[in-house]
Amino acid sequence: MPKTILKVESLKVKLEKEDILENLSFEVKEGDIFTILGPNGAGKTVLLKTLLGILPHEGKIKWEKGIKIGYVPQRLPFMKDVPVSVEEFFELKKIAREKTKEILDLVGFSGNFSEKKMGDLSSGQFQRVLIGWALAGNPEVLLFDEPTTGIDIGGEETIYTLLSKLKEEKNLTILLVTHDLSVVSKFSNFVVCLNKCPICQGVPQEVLTLKKLHELYGEEIKFYGHHKH
């Protein structure tokens, strides 16, 4: 049995007197690709930040002792305006040149890629550099916030294929925030459907029924993948 690396019990988050999350309990096991699914404004990003200890909360969040976590934020728009190369960006984390090359290789870049300016990268390249940056500390868990925001469909597929590859090679546990149903059915083995309160949770193929998706998204559902009626 894989061990539990994160246990959340009766989580409640209030920001500026507004309830953002309530009654949320779940467990993440080692090796999971664990997806947090929900519409915009459902509290998904807030949940990630709470798990990282950035936001105050009530209830229990218990990580396995000493576990190393990497975080890939939704966007770093200001980086587009900072005149640094990819290599200099990695130097901010005190990562040696050789190690940088190794990491870039891992996320699919070779040759002189490290000399490119951050501002010249496409959104897909930029996202892969951020994934590399999060991997630099050799984390056991990676947290992703909407990893393909602003990336075209071809690039999205590449990012998720990359995540699957990294999970296998590095034995990672991945927590992923998304509103894209196709990602959930293709890539993850556990899903929490969230709209401030949990709507459903479990194995995607079992819990993502039409009824639950209507509850989660209202009428505007884009159908992807194979969903049970």
Side-chain angles (χ1 to χ4, degrees):
M1 275 290 283
K3 61 180 174 183
T4 300
I5 55 172
L6 170 64
K7 196 172 178 142
V8 172
E9 284 175 18
S10 311
L11 183 67
K12 185 174 180 175
V13 179
K14 240 187 164 104
L15 295 177
E16 293 169 5
K17 297 190 177 152
E18 190 194 340
D19 289 339
I20 306 291
L21 293 172
E22 42 193 341
N23 305 328
L24 187 56
S25 300
F26 61 84
E27 286 186 9
V28 179
K29 302 252 187 286
E30 190 175 44
D32 275 351
I33 294 189
F34 185 101
T35 306
I36 300 148
L37 179 73
N40 289 333
K44 304 185 301 287
T45 298
V46 166
L47 174 57
L48 278 198
K49 289 183 171 168
T50 308
L51 295 179
L52 286 164
I54 298 168
L55 296 174
H57 66 275
E58 292 171 36
K60 248 191 191 160
I61 295 176
K62 194 167 187 272
W63 285 98
E64 188 196 335
K65 214 171 149 60
I67 200 147
K68 279 203 248 165
I69 301 165
Y71 174 52
V72 183
Q74 195 167 45
R75 290 190 193 91
L76 287 179
F78 60 86
M79 277 310 300
K80 288 281 186 200
D81 307 322
V82 181
V84 296
S85 69
V86 172
E87 190 172 311
E88 287 163 337
F89 180 55
F90 276 85
E91 279 171 6
L92 294 173
K93 251 192 178 180
K94 309 232 177 332
I95 299 161
R97 188 173 289 181
E98 270 313 295
K99 178 75 173 157
T100 297
K101 201 171 162 342
E102 207 177 290
I103 291 168
L104 289 174
D105 209 38
L106 190 66
V107 295
F109 297 125
S110 53
N112 300 331
F113 187 82
S114 60
E115 291 165 23
K116 279 188 188 285
K117 290 274 178 276
M118 291 294 284
D120 294 339
L121 303 183
S122 73
S123 54
Q125 289 173 326
F126 192 81
Q127 194 60 34
R128 283 197 275 164
V129 166
L130 287 185
I131 292 171
W133 215 59
L135 288 171
N138 289 326
E140 294 138 288
V141 183
L142 271 190
L143 268 56
F144 281 94
D145 193 357
E146 297 276 9
T148 56
T149 300
I151 295 174
D152 62 49
I153 297 291
E156 278 192 13
E157 191 61 38
T158 315
I159 295 287
Y160 287 117
T161 308
L162 172 64
L163 293 188
S164 300
K165 182 185 107 159
L166 291 173
K167 176 196 153 19
E168 293 309 319
E169 287 179 13
K170 297 250 171 207
N171 194 22
L172 290 169
T173 304
I174 293 175
L175 271 77
L176 189 66
V177 156
T178 187
H179 56 258
D180 183 345
L181 290 173
S182 63
V183 170
V184 187
S185 46
K186 250 193 216 163
F187 289 98
S188 71
N189 64 317
F190 197 92
V191 63
V192 166
C193 302
L194 191 61
N195 198 348
K196 303 202 171 181
C197 299
I199 307 278
C200 61
Q201 55 175 287
V203 177
Q205 291 74 8
E206 291 169 11
V207 299
L208 293 179
T209 59
L210 262 181
K211 187 168 174 290
K212 287 294 179 196
L213 290 171
H214 272 294
E215 223 175 297
L216 188 61
Y217 287 99
E219 295 309 308
E220 302 161 38
I221 305 173
K222 290 183 193 154
F223 281 104
Y224 300 101
H226 305 286
H227 295 292
K228 290 183 180 171
H229 289 255

